[in-house]
Amino acid sequence: MEKVRQPAADSKRVRVAIAQSAPVYLDKRASLAKALDLIQQAAKQDALLVAFGETWLPGYPAWLDVCRGAALWENPSTKDVFAKLRDNSITVPGEEVNALSEAERDLNIAIVIGANERVDAGPGIGTLYNSLLTISEDGRLNNHHRKLVPTYTERLVWGNGDGRGLEAVPTSAGRVGGLICWEHWMPLARMAMHDSGEHVHVAVWPTVHELHQLASRHYAFEGRCFVLAVGLMMPTVDLPHELRNDVTSRPGDGGWIEHGGSAIIGPDSQYVIEPVFDREELLVSDLDLTQIDRESMTFDVSGHYARPDLFRFEKKDTDAN
């Protein structure tokens, strides 16, 4: 891999990127190779951080919602697809994480990436999790978050996560944290993140449609931070062949099941980059972190608005295993 040298980061002005791109569906090795190429592209544009979407390695199980009968008891086709997903899920730590860590060290860039994670040893063996990994520019796995409550039909695939990872961690792009999809409607999960002092929050979604845009903008305003709202791309042709005969027509219109919608939002809730739909693109932008200081004058949810004389908040770091 070509080594990219970057200028030292200005602590108040950072460049970030969103990789709005489809993985190679249900193929973790090919998806990893594509991720490494996208990371290098972001580094060549002097980005200090690049974010990927929900369960990007090796793709989101959209078939749960768009294929009739996929969630029915003892559906043999669903079992076959789940077996492929399980086989192509990553372990943490593991080969894929090691490859990403090596790339971060070589390219001097941090990443946040969603993954299907499989537990291969000890308590919880065999369980899959919807996980979000943050690897810093020195190659360290700085954060490992598992989605607290899989949303609706997702519970057929993933187990419940735990309190670990509900925090921001230092990177060259500032303090970076993240939540997964409907966790953004969990007020106490948001409070845990706000208390950790995020500069940049990565909000990963399947598609960042209107409701998800509202949640992302609300998070930026409430947390007085920048939000990278990251949407997935999934073409209709990526639907597993075992379930294609039962696909509904609504989600696949235009050739996409997951449409992207990625955007960057400032701490005043205004768009830095407007939502981008229906195309793969590397979105790159400079963020002025002094905007966080300016917007905190009127509202600071963990500061002068916290009222610790009236309220007490506690996060428990429980282990799902």
Side-chain angles (χ1 to χ4, degrees), residues 41-114:
Q41 290 181 42
K44 285 181 176 179
Q45 296 190 49
D46 294 331
L48 298 176
L49 170 72
V50 59
F52 293 77
E54 183 175 0
T55 60
W56 201 90
L57 289 171
Y60 181 79
W63 33 270
L64 284 169
D65 296 319
V66 304
C67 297
R68 296 185 182 94
L72 292 178
W73 184 263
E74 292 290 347
N75 184 323
S77 296
T78 302
K79 286 185 174 183
D80 289 343
V81 175
F82 177 79
K84 290 181 182 178
L85 176 63
R86 192 170 184 271
D87 183 54
N88 279 275
S89 295
I90 71 168
T91 58
V92 182
E95 177 183 347
E96 292 76 24
V97 175
N98 291 341
L100 291 168
S101 295
E102 183 178 349
E104 305 326 291
R105 285 192 299 270
D106 288 345
L107 299 172
N108 192 29
I109 186 173
I111 69 164
V112 177
I113 189 167

Side-chain angles (χ1 to χ4, degrees), residues 163 166 188-189 191-192 195 311-318:
L166 287 175
L188 299 185
M191 195 66 214
D195 279 352
F311 307 111
R312 182 176 64 190
F313 176 76
E314 177 186 7
K315 178 175 72 75
K316 299 178 180 180
D317 293 319
T318 54

Side-chain angles (χ1 to χ4, degrees), residues 16-18 49-54 111-114 132-134 145 175-181 183-184 193 198-205 216 219 225-231 263:
V16 299
I18 292 175
L49 170 72
V50 59
F52 293 77
E54 183 175 0
I111 69 164
V112 177
I113 189 167
L132 194 63
L133 308 178
T134 303
H145 171 55
R175 293 185 58 80
V176 175
L179 289 175
I180 304 167
C181 199
E183 288 182 324
H184 291 86
M193 299 304 301
E198 290 175 294
H199 296 120
V200 179
H201 175 81
V202 178
V204 296
W205 309 89
S216 299
Y219 191 98
C225 61
F226 288 91
V227 170
L228 309 188
V230 188

Side-chain angles (χ1 to χ4, degrees):
M1 177 175 292
E2 179 185 351
K3 187 165 180 125
V4 175
R5 295 184 61 84
Q6 294 174 289
D10 180 340
S11 62
K12 291 298 184 180
R13 186 172 293 275
V14 298
R15 179 167 292 180
V16 299
I18 292 175
Q20 179 166 286
S21 183
V24 183
Y25 200 66
L26 296 185
D27 187 333
K28 66 180 177 182
R29 289 178 177 83
S31 293
L32 174 63
K34 186 171 183 178
L36 294 173
D37 179 65
L38 289 164
I39 293 165
Q40 183 154 353
Q41 290 181 42
K44 285 181 176 179
Q45 296 190 49
D46 294 331
L48 298 176
L49 170 72
V50 59
F52 293 77
E54 183 175 0
T55 60
W56 201 90
L57 289 171
Y60 181 79
W63 33 270
L64 284 169
D65 296 319
V66 304
C67 297
R68 296 185 182 94
L72 292 178
W73 184 263
E74 292 290 347
N75 184 323
S77 296
T78 302
K79 286 185 174 183
D80 289 343
V81 175
F82 177 79
K84 290 181 182 178
L85 176 63
R86 192 170 184 271
D87 183 54
N88 279 275
S89 295
I90 71 168
T91 58
V92 182
E95 177 183 347
E96 292 76 24
V97 175
N98 291 341
L100 291 168
S101 295
E102 183 178 349
E104 305 326 291
R105 285 192 299 270
D106 288 345
L107 299 172
N108 192 29
I109 186 173
I111 69 164
V112 177
I113 189 167
N116 290 276
E117 177 196 354
R118 184 184 68 246
V119 177
D120 268 2
I125 187 170
T127 301
L128 300 187
Y129 291 102
N130 180 338
S131 296
L132 194 63
L133 308 178
T134 303
I135 301 175
S136 58
E137 64 279 356
D138 61 2
R140 288 183 300 124
L141 177 62
N142 255 7
N143 208 357
H144 175 195
H145 171 55
R146 291 168 172 170
K147 189 174 184 181
L148 298 174
V149 182
T151 305
Y152 200 48
T153 51
E154 292 177 357
R155 296 173 205 177
L156 293 173
V157 173
W158 298 310
N160 282 352
D162 54 46
R164 296 175 303 171
L166 287 175
E167 61 181 352
V169 295
T171 74
S172 57
R175 293 185 58 80
V176 175
L179 289 175
I180 304 167
C181 199
W182 278 40
E183 288 182 324
H184 291 86
W185 284 291
M186 298 176 70
L188 299 185
R190 296 201 311 268
M191 195 66 214
M193 299 304 301
H194 298 331
D195 279 352
S196 70
E198 290 175 294
H199 296 120
V200 179
H201 175 81
V202 178
V204 296
W205 309 89
T207 293
V208 196
H209 58 58
E210 183 178 1
L211 188 62
H212 299 159
Q213 295 288 350
L214 288 173
S216 299
R217 294 182 68 184
H218 171 267
Y219 191 98
F221 186 89
E222 181 180 78
R224 287 318 200 229
C225 61
F226 288 91
V227 170
L228 309 188
V230 188
L232 280 173
M233 299 298 295
M234 180 180 176
T236 306
V237 295
D238 277 356
L239 273 178
H241 66 85
E242 295 92 339
L243 297 167
R244 282 184 194 168
N245 290 337
D246 295 323
V247 67
T248 61
S249 59
R250 177 184 59 81
D253 293 344
W256 297 101
I257 291 175
E258 304 298 353
H259 297 256
S262 299
I264 298 179
I265 304 157
D268 58 355
S269 82
Q270 300 304 303
Y271 285 113
V272 177
I273 293 181
E274 296 271 349
V276 175
F277 289 97
D278 295 326
R279 68 176 186 266
E280 296 188 87
E281 184 173 335
L282 187 67
L283 285 66
V284 180
S285 179
D286 292 324
L287 308 182
D288 180 4
L289 299 186
T290 63
Q291 191 177 355
I292 295 172
D293 300 320
R294 294 195 295 270
E295 296 302 327
S296 295
M297 179 178 179
T298 51
F299 185 75
D300 184 356
V301 72
S302 292
H304 65 280
Y305 261 81
R307 292 299 305 271
D309 55 321
L310 298 178
F311 307 111
R312 182 176 64 190
F313 176 76
E314 177 186 7
K315 178 175 72 75
K316 299 178 180 180
D317 293 319
T318 54
D319 189 334
N321 286 344

